[in-house]
Amino acid sequence: MTRKTSDELRDQSRTLDDIAISFRMLADELEKRNVDVLYADGLEDISRSVNTLMQARSKIEKAIREGAY
């Protein structure tokens, strides 16, 4: 695996933020519309996905701060 530059890591971090925001917006819209087809498990899956994305983003930001690029 090749090492990423800090700019590449920052781009990845922004991409993860965008994906997480999209998941959150989707969950909010589905809740607002009270979609019966989407069970509580679906919203929990979205929440877990957002948490996973944010953890990955935190690791990227830590790597940038520590200069591990």
Side-chain angles (χ1 to χ4, degrees):
M1 187 169 137
T2 60
R3 295 185 83 114
K4 304 276 186 191
T5 67
S6 61
D7 288 339
E8 289 172 320
L9 290 172
R10 283 188 183 90
D11 287 343
Q12 286 181 346
S13 180
R14 282 190 286 275
T15 299
L16 290 172
D17 278 345
D18 291 343
I19 294 168
I21 289 167
S22 296
F23 270 110
R24 187 70 253 157
M25 288 171 52
L26 171 64
D28 291 346
E29 186 64 26
L30 292 171
E31 276 186 319
K32 184 171 78 175
R33 291 180 185 214
N34 197 20
V35 176
D36 292 334
V37 179
L38 186 71
Y39 298 99
D41 289 345
L43 291 175
E44 288 177 18
D45 289 341
I46 290 170
S47 180
R48 278 193 295 276
S49 296
V50 169
N51 289 336
T52 300
L53 289 165
M54 298 317 302
Q55 288 172 359
R57 182 187 181 278
S58 293
K59 288 178 184 177
I60 289 171
E61 291 297 320
K62 181 180 178 187
I64 291 169
R65 281 192 309 276
E66 293 176 354
Y69 46 87

